[in-house]
Amino acid sequence: RRGDVMFWADIEGGDPSVKGLSADIKKQMRAISINCSGAAAVSSMVRPNDHVDVIGTFDFEGAAGRRNFVTCTILQNVLVLATGSETAKQRLRSQGLNRAYSTVTLEVTPREAEMLAVAEQTKGRLTLTLRNKNDIFTEKESPVVEFEKIREQISELNRERNLGKGKTR
């Protein structure tokens, strides 16, 4: 109104740091940060606005005290809101300089946030796989991978990969 003080937050497209990250979260979604740096974040090349899949590898004690590692895709096609404390808006202002980070903040549903929280507390590690920005494909079933499954399927997977080399992207 006339005579009132105007703030950046009152102007659409104004200073984005005034509104904070919560303004970037879609309705009915949540932001959750997971510990993820270095190789677990594609050599720290994951950036805000990228889409990733979240893979969990868990260490369970099997029969006769043997360690049993199990890996599965937990979430697919998840939006990255921030890497460390850098959001997409802050990245634009900093001219895209690469910064080291140890956490990645993801936009998820409340139930997905619960799953990630439990997965982080379980003996194991979360890893991100970076997706092409135009790739919206998701697998209907996410198999659990153990060492025996790798041994059984490695030849077939390599054959499929080599057959696909002639295809254009």
Side-chain angles (χ1 to χ4, degrees):
R1 293 186 317 222
R2 185 179 210 118
D4 285 352
V5 175
M6 187 180 292
F7 297 97
W8 276 110
D10 297 328
I11 302 171
E12 187 158 349
D15 185 356
S17 64
V18 173
K19 294 181 182 178
L21 182 62
S22 64
D24 296 336
I25 304 168
K26 292 181 198 109
K27 289 182 180 178
Q28 300 181 2
M29 299 297 278
R30 304 294 184 267
I32 185 169
S33 294
I34 60 172
N35 292 309
C36 200
S37 63
V42 192
S43 296
S44 298
M45 289 190 276
V46 171
R47 296 286 171 239
N49 279 343
D50 282 343
H51 283 248
V52 297
D53 292 347
V54 182
I55 297 173
T57 301
F58 306 100
D59 181 3
F60 295 105
E61 189 171 318
R66 272 184 70 198
R67 291 175 70 188
N68 189 22
F69 290 96
V70 176
T71 298
C72 62
T73 300
I74 299 172
L75 298 174
Q76 298 179 63
N77 201 18
V78 180
L79 174 65
V80 176
L81 294 171
T83 53
S85 61
E86 181 180 60
T87 65
K89 293 174 187 173
Q90 291 166 329
R91 185 165 172 73
L92 289 173
R93 284 199 317 261
S94 67
Q95 300 169 345
L97 300 174
N98 287 344
R99 295 183 183 166
Y101 54 86
S102 59
T103 60
V104 173
T105 303
L106 306 172
E107 183 179 70
V108 297
T109 68
R111 300 298 79 80
E112 291 169 340
E114 292 169 355
M115 287 186 349
L116 287 173
V118 168
E120 273 212 306
Q121 296 305 313
T122 306
K123 292 180 183 178
R125 177 181 180 181
L126 297 179
T127 303
L128 303 179
T129 59
L130 185 60
R131 300 175 69 101
N132 180 293
K133 65 179 182 165
N134 298 318
D135 181 7
I136 59 170
F137 172 80
T138 56
E139 294 190 23
K140 289 181 180 25
E141 290 188 33
S142 180
V144 173
V145 178
E146 298 175 276
F147 184 71
E148 289 302 316
K149 186 167 191 129
I150 293 170
R151 283 185 14 170
E152 290 170 9
Q153 295 186 345
I154 195 70
S155 295
E156 179 186 337
L157 293 172
N158 280 315
R159 189 172 29 260
E160 286 176 15
R161 171 172 287 288
N162 289 328
L163 288 173
K165 281 192 174 187
K167 297 178 183 176
T168 58
R169 291 183 172 183

